[in-house]
Amino acid sequence: MTTSSSSNPTACVLIIGDEVLSGRTQDANLKFLAERLGQLGIPLGEARVIPDIEAKIVEALNACRKEYTYVFTTGGIGPTHDDITTACVAKAFGRKVIRHPEVEKKLRAYYGERTNEARLRMAEVPDGDGVSLIENLISVAPGYRIDNVFVLAGVPSVARAMFEAVAPTLRGGPPVYSQSIDAHVREGDIAAGLAEIQAQHTNVAVGSYPFMRLDKLGTSIVARSTDRAGIAAVIGKVEKLMRGLGADPVVGPAPV
Amino acid sequence: MTTSSSSNPTACVLIIGDEVLSGRTQDANLKFLAERLGQLGIPLGEARVIPDIEAKIVEALNACRKEYTYVFTTGGIGPTHDDITTACVAKAFGRKVIRHPEVEKKLRAYYGERTNEARLRMAEVPDGDGVSLIENLISVAPGYRIDNVFVLAGVPSVARAMFEAVAPTLRGGPPVYSQSIDAHVREGDIAAGLAEIQAQHTNVAVGSYPFMRLDKLGTSIVARSTDRAGIAAVIGKVEKLMRGLGADPVVGPAPV
């Protein structure tokens, strides 16, 4: 199943942090990044939640930066001992960690007499070529890009600001559009017809998601593609299929 | 950083579904599984969100079932064309897919004249030894276990019911406890002291998470370990550290 044209670049998100794996924290970055990347025509191909363990982070970075056009990491770039992302990124690229002079200057100006070694860790980036800073308009300490890896903060407001700062620099593909149609029909009753429709439109990803509303079971069908005409054709056929079962489907807004 | 004794088994969660990667859906299973597994002393070592693509699912299954004691998949076991989890699990194990006679009987009894080929797909399991059904008290169609892989539904209420059905069969380790302490201190001001405390308690994972409440920045410190005395010692030292900076920390409930 492809949900985008072959010309689309791809992305992977690495959520770094024990707090999500322990269940303490509900990740709040993946949905945002997935939506924004889709809008940019850079469909998210995979996401991994990995612990604060160097070997695991290095392994995931090296596996994903080879496989995807872009890799976005969130978390682990603060001032405390459990912020090890930059050390891991440097190791994955076989680089040393250096203190970025421009960032150190900014941090010293911002923190004044409260500047300390811990805070200056937030000026650390991998050494060498292909490293560029990602501005942080919220709390000064920047993220950075190294080759195809974008290192973002974990705090959602900061992660979002950093993503928007780099979004214009990303090479997007055709936007991936989607449209949904919901009805109080059971998945099992439309499955055969749905499979036919999918077979007729191989450039549209047809997803089927059951739901329960007011104790009534229903199904939400989502058509996703870079081809808006294809989506419209699929939604039209699914509507006909649902009405044929006596349902009164609700069609979501057309993709724009 | 280890958050559990070496005697703890480990787990990995594979969230299968384009809907999470497209940003359409906020995953609602990871936090639940992470919390429950922690309570059972089976810390979650990794989670992956993977698309409805056979090669990706097979690859993730084979990588993770070797690396972790238990693997839990969510999603992709319904009646529609995009439900391909069982085909992928069978392929990963080099097995054929068969229709389980007992499940087929249950489904036929439940659906009566609405039984069809699509619904009978929900009776499919990998062939061969080491396969056992996971009861679904909510919507009949079961999940199943094959060796160390547990195949659960994606619908949260069903996924939870299926997890609770197998929970008593899991080999847990010492429970992983946690306790938090919050204060309106900046991470950068306690980072050095925090690093010392972490170094003194290597069997406790000390996590530091900044927060903003009522426009005031603060830090939440979380101590996690199988050793409750170690957690208490860490929290006591962090409280002293925070009070030393003039803060009035709030200590979370002691782990039970």
Side-chain angles (χ1 to χ4, degrees), chain A residues 206-238:
Chain A
V206 182
S208 176
Y209 310 108
F211 64 78
M212 167 128 21
R213 289 177 201 150
L214 307 167
D215 289 346
K216 278 186 72 181
L217 275 167
T219 302
S220 178
I221 302 301
V222 178
R224 269 169 47 246
S225 178
T226 56
D227 169 14
R228 275 189 283 191
I231 290 174
V234 164
I235 293 294
K237 290 178 180 179
V238 173

Tab-separated table of all heavy atoms in Angstrom, chain A residues 206-238:
chain	number	residue	atom	x	y	z
A	206	VAL	N	-6.726	3.293	1.088
A	206	VAL	CA	-8.075	3.245	1.659
A	206	VAL	C	-7.998	2.571	3.025
A	206	VAL	O	-7.706	1.378	3.119
A	206	VAL	CB	-9.044	2.477	0.732
A	206	VAL	CG1	-10.454	2.485	1.322
A	206	VAL	CG2	-9.042	3.066	-0.675
A	207	GLY	N	-8.209	3.353	4.089
A	207	GLY	CA	-8.134	2.825	5.450
A	207	GLY	C	-9.515	2.690	6.045
A	207	GLY	O	-10.400	3.518	5.792
A	208	SER	N	-9.723	1.641	6.809
A	208	SER	CA	-11.028	1.383	7.423
A	208	SER	C	-10.877	1.317	8.940
A	208	SER	O	-10.092	0.526	9.451
A	208	SER	CB	-11.584	0.054	6.899
A	208	SER	OG	-12.802	-0.246	7.555
A	209	TYR	N	-11.633	2.175	9.650
A	209	TYR	CA	-11.483	2.285	11.097
A	209	TYR	C	-12.828	2.214	11.792
A	209	TYR	O	-13.666	3.101	11.608
A	209	TYR	CB	-10.753	3.591	11.443
A	209	TYR	CG	-9.497	3.748	10.631
A	209	TYR	CD1	-9.415	4.692	9.607
A	209	TYR	CD2	-8.422	2.894	10.826
A	209	TYR	CE1	-8.271	4.803	8.819
A	209	TYR	CE2	-7.281	2.996	10.043
A	209	TYR	CZ	-7.220	3.952	9.051
A	209	TYR	OH	-6.098	4.042	8.257
A	210	PRO	N	-13.046	1.161	12.569
A	210	PRO	CA	-14.331	1.030	13.258
A	210	PRO	C	-14.446	2.068	14.378
A	210	PRO	O	-13.439	2.515	14.921
A	210	PRO	CB	-14.281	-0.384	13.847
A	210	PRO	CG	-12.821	-0.696	13.987
A	210	PRO	CD	-12.129	0.057	12.884
A	211	PHE	N	-15.657	2.485	14.672
A	211	PHE	CA	-15.872	3.385	15.815
A	211	PHE	C	-17.171	3.025	16.517
A	211	PHE	O	-18.014	2.284	15.975
A	211	PHE	CB	-15.895	4.854	15.360
A	211	PHE	CG	-17.027	5.210	14.432
A	211	PHE	CD1	-18.318	5.415	14.918
A	211	PHE	CD2	-16.808	5.342	13.066
A	211	PHE	CE1	-19.366	5.755	14.070
A	211	PHE	CE2	-17.863	5.676	12.198
A	211	PHE	CZ	-19.139	5.880	12.711
A	212	MET	N	-17.321	3.510	17.730
A	212	MET	CA	-18.576	3.336	18.458
A	212	MET	C	-19.023	4.700	18.943
A	212	MET	O	-18.286	5.381	19.642
A	212	MET	CB	-18.384	2.374	19.633
A	212	MET	CG	-19.540	2.394	20.594
A	212	MET	SD	-20.310	0.822	21.049
A	212	MET	CE	-19.152	-0.461	20.721
A	213	ARG	N	-20.203	5.152	18.492
A	213	ARG	CA	-20.747	6.442	18.934
A	213	ARG	C	-22.161	6.227	19.427
A	213	ARG	O	-22.957	5.591	18.754
A	213	ARG	CB	-20.740	7.463	17.780
A	213	ARG	CG	-19.337	7.940	17.421
A	213	ARG	CD	-19.346	8.890	16.222
A	213	ARG	NE	-18.019	8.936	15.606
A	213	ARG	CZ	-17.790	9.161	14.315
A	213	ARG	NH1	-18.807	9.388	13.503
A	213	ARG	NH2	-16.568	9.175	13.834
A	214	LEU	N	-22.457	6.772	20.599
A	214	LEU	CA	-23.777	6.576	21.203
A	214	LEU	C	-24.142	5.098	21.156
A	214	LEU	O	-25.238	4.730	20.729
A	214	LEU	CB	-24.821	7.410	20.456
A	214	LEU	CG	-24.501	8.899	20.291
A	214	LEU	CD1	-25.439	9.546	19.286
A	214	LEU	CD2	-24.576	9.612	21.635
A	215	ASP	N	-23.172	4.253	21.514
A	215	ASP	CA	-23.391	2.800	21.544
A	215	ASP	C	-23.724	2.206	20.182
A	215	ASP	O	-24.178	1.067	20.098
A	215	ASP	CB	-24.511	2.435	22.552
A	215	ASP	CG	-24.034	2.636	23.981
A	215	ASP	OD1	-22.811	2.782	24.153
A	215	ASP	OD2	-24.868	2.672	24.894
A	216	LYS	N	-23.566	2.982	19.121
A	216	LYS	CA	-23.792	2.419	17.780
A	216	LYS	C	-22.459	2.237	17.083
A	216	LYS	O	-21.651	3.162	17.012
A	216	LYS	CB	-24.693	3.341	16.949
A	216	LYS	CG	-26.183	3.159	17.254
A	216	LYS	CD	-27.059	3.983	16.315
A	216	LYS	CE	-27.101	3.427	14.905
A	216	LYS	NZ	-27.947	4.282	14.006
A	217	LEU	N	-22.240	1.006	16.577
A	217	LEU	CA	-21.004	0.725	15.858
A	217	LEU	C	-21.053	1.356	14.467
A	217	LEU	O	-22.122	1.440	13.852
A	217	LEU	CB	-20.815	-0.783	15.704
A	217	LEU	CG	-20.142	-1.493	16.878
A	217	LEU	CD1	-20.298	-2.998	16.742
A	217	LEU	CD2	-18.668	-1.119	16.950
A	218	GLY	N	-19.920	1.820	14.023
A	218	GLY	CA	-19.836	2.367	12.678
A	218	GLY	C	-18.431	2.212	12.140
A	218	GLY	O	-17.559	1.653	12.801
A	219	THR	N	-18.241	2.695	10.928
A	219	THR	CA	-16.941	2.594	10.283
A	219	THR	C	-16.581	3.922	9.640
A	219	THR	O	-17.419	4.551	8.986
A	219	THR	CB	-16.960	1.494	9.200
A	219	THR	OG1	-17.329	0.257	9.821
A	219	THR	CG2	-15.584	1.344	8.556
A	220	SER	N	-15.351	4.340	9.851
A	220	SER	CA	-14.836	5.533	9.202
A	220	SER	C	-13.837	5.088	8.132
A	220	SER	O	-12.890	4.365	8.428
A	220	SER	CB	-14.142	6.421	10.239
A	220	SER	OG	-13.605	7.564	9.612
A	221	ILE	N	-14.096	5.479	6.895
A	221	ILE	CA	-13.192	5.147	5.791
A	221	ILE	C	-12.394	6.399	5.460
A	221	ILE	O	-12.953	7.488	5.312
A	221	ILE	CB	-13.978	4.685	4.546
A	221	ILE	CG1	-14.838	3.468	4.882
A	221	ILE	CG2	-13.023	4.407	3.388
A	221	ILE	CD1	-14.055	2.282	5.393
A	222	VAL	N	-11.078	6.248	5.387
A	222	VAL	CA	-10.209	7.374	5.061
A	222	VAL	C	-9.457	7.059	3.773
A	222	VAL	O	-8.827	6.006	3.658
A	222	VAL	CB	-9.209	7.648	6.195
A	222	VAL	CG1	-8.276	8.791	5.815
A	222	VAL	CG2	-9.951	7.979	7.494
A	223	ALA	N	-9.582	7.964	2.796
A	223	ALA	CA	-8.836	7.827	1.535
A	223	ALA	C	-7.688	8.825	1.550
A	223	ALA	O	-7.899	10.014	1.783
A	223	ALA	CB	-9.761	8.092	0.346
A	224	ARG	N	-6.463	8.329	1.352
A	224	ARG	CA	-5.291	9.219	1.379
A	224	ARG	C	-4.475	9.025	0.108
A	224	ARG	O	-4.211	7.903	-0.311
A	224	ARG	CB	-4.444	8.951	2.618
A	224	ARG	CG	-4.858	9.829	3.789
A	224	ARG	CD	-4.224	9.425	5.112
A	224	ARG	NE	-2.796	9.188	5.012
A	224	ARG	CZ	-2.238	7.994	5.190
A	224	ARG	NH1	-2.992	6.961	5.454
A	224	ARG	NH2	-0.938	7.861	5.101
A	225	SER	N	-4.081	10.146	-0.483
A	225	SER	CA	-3.320	10.072	-1.725
A	225	SER	C	-2.782	11.458	-2.083
A	225	SER	O	-3.241	12.468	-1.547
A	225	SER	CB	-4.212	9.580	-2.863
A	225	SER	OG	-3.494	9.555	-4.085
A	226	THR	N	-1.841	11.475	-2.992
A	226	THR	CA	-1.418	12.755	-3.573
A	226	THR	C	-2.355	13.150	-4.719
A	226	THR	O	-2.234	14.238	-5.262
A	226	THR	CB	0.014	12.632	-4.138
A	226	THR	OG1	0.037	11.545	-5.076
A	226	THR	CG2	1.013	12.353	-3.014
A	227	ASP	N	-3.280	12.237	-5.083
A	227	ASP	CA	-4.172	12.415	-6.234
A	227	ASP	C	-5.582	12.740	-5.737
A	227	ASP	O	-6.329	11.851	-5.333
A	227	ASP	CB	-4.152	11.118	-7.061
A	227	ASP	CG	-5.235	11.102	-8.130
A	227	ASP	OD1	-5.830	12.172	-8.419
A	227	ASP	OD2	-5.492	10.014	-8.669
A	228	ARG	N	-5.947	14.025	-5.789
A	228	ARG	CA	-7.248	14.428	-5.241
A	228	ARG	C	-8.411	13.847	-6.025
A	228	ARG	O	-9.452	13.510	-5.461
A	228	ARG	CB	-7.345	15.956	-5.191
A	228	ARG	CG	-6.735	16.518	-3.930
A	228	ARG	CD	-7.012	17.985	-3.778
A	228	ARG	NE	-6.140	18.773	-4.652
A	228	ARG	CZ	-6.030	20.100	-4.566
A	228	ARG	NH1	-6.748	20.774	-3.693
A	228	ARG	NH2	-5.210	20.747	-5.365
A	229	ALA	N	-8.227	13.709	-7.354
A	229	ALA	CA	-9.300	13.125	-8.165
A	229	ALA	C	-9.506	11.662	-7.773
A	229	ALA	O	-10.638	11.174	-7.676
A	229	ALA	CB	-8.946	13.243	-9.655
A	230	GLY	N	-8.400	10.993	-7.488
A	230	GLY	CA	-8.487	9.598	-7.055
A	230	GLY	C	-9.226	9.475	-5.735
A	230	GLY	O	-10.054	8.580	-5.542
A	231	ILE	N	-8.942	10.405	-4.821
A	231	ILE	CA	-9.638	10.399	-3.527
A	231	ILE	C	-11.135	10.601	-3.735
A	231	ILE	O	-11.966	9.866	-3.197
A	231	ILE	CB	-9.077	11.509	-2.607
A	231	ILE	CG1	-7.654	11.172	-2.164
A	231	ILE	CG2	-9.984	11.697	-1.387
A	231	ILE	CD1	-6.977	12.286	-1.369
A	232	ALA	N	-11.484	11.572	-4.595
A	232	ALA	CA	-12.905	11.864	-4.850
A	232	ALA	C	-13.613	10.633	-5.431
A	232	ALA	O	-14.737	10.302	-5.026
A	232	ALA	CB	-13.017	13.054	-5.794
A	233	ALA	N	-12.932	9.944	-6.337
A	233	ALA	CA	-13.535	8.752	-6.953
A	233	ALA	C	-13.763	7.672	-5.902
A	233	ALA	O	-14.832	7.046	-5.850
A	233	ALA	CB	-12.619	8.233	-8.061
A	234	VAL	N	-12.756	7.467	-5.029
A	234	VAL	CA	-12.877	6.450	-3.985
A	234	VAL	C	-14.012	6.792	-3.032
A	234	VAL	O	-14.876	5.957	-2.727
A	234	VAL	CB	-11.548	6.296	-3.212
A	234	VAL	CG1	-11.763	5.554	-1.901
A	234	VAL	CG2	-10.517	5.579	-4.081
A	235	ILE	N	-14.052	8.037	-2.586
A	235	ILE	CA	-15.094	8.433	-1.624
A	235	ILE	C	-16.483	8.267	-2.249
A	235	ILE	O	-17.428	7.793	-1.605
A	235	ILE	CB	-14.870	9.892	-1.149
A	235	ILE	CG1	-13.590	9.998	-0.326
A	235	ILE	CG2	-16.082	10.395	-0.347
A	235	ILE	CD1	-13.606	9.252	0.994
A	236	GLY	N	-16.598	8.600	-3.536
A	236	GLY	CA	-17.880	8.433	-4.224
A	236	GLY	C	-18.324	6.977	-4.245
A	236	GLY	O	-19.480	6.655	-3.951
A	237	LYS	N	-17.380	6.094	-4.540
A	237	LYS	CA	-17.717	4.663	-4.585
A	237	LYS	C	-18.052	4.117	-3.197
A	237	LYS	O	-18.957	3.293	-3.039
A	237	LYS	CB	-16.562	3.868	-5.201
A	237	LYS	CG	-16.370	4.110	-6.690
A	237	LYS	CD	-15.177	3.329	-7.245
A	237	LYS	CE	-14.997	3.573	-8.738
A	237	LYS	NZ	-13.831	2.829	-9.295
A	238	VAL	N	-17.322	4.589	-2.177
A	238	VAL	CA	-17.600	4.115	-0.814
A	238	VAL	C	-18.978	4.607	-0.365
A	238	VAL	O	-19.747	3.869	0.256
A	238	VAL	CB	-16.504	4.590	0.169
A	238	VAL	CG1	-16.886	4.233	1.603
A	238	VAL	CG2	-15.151	3.981	-0.190
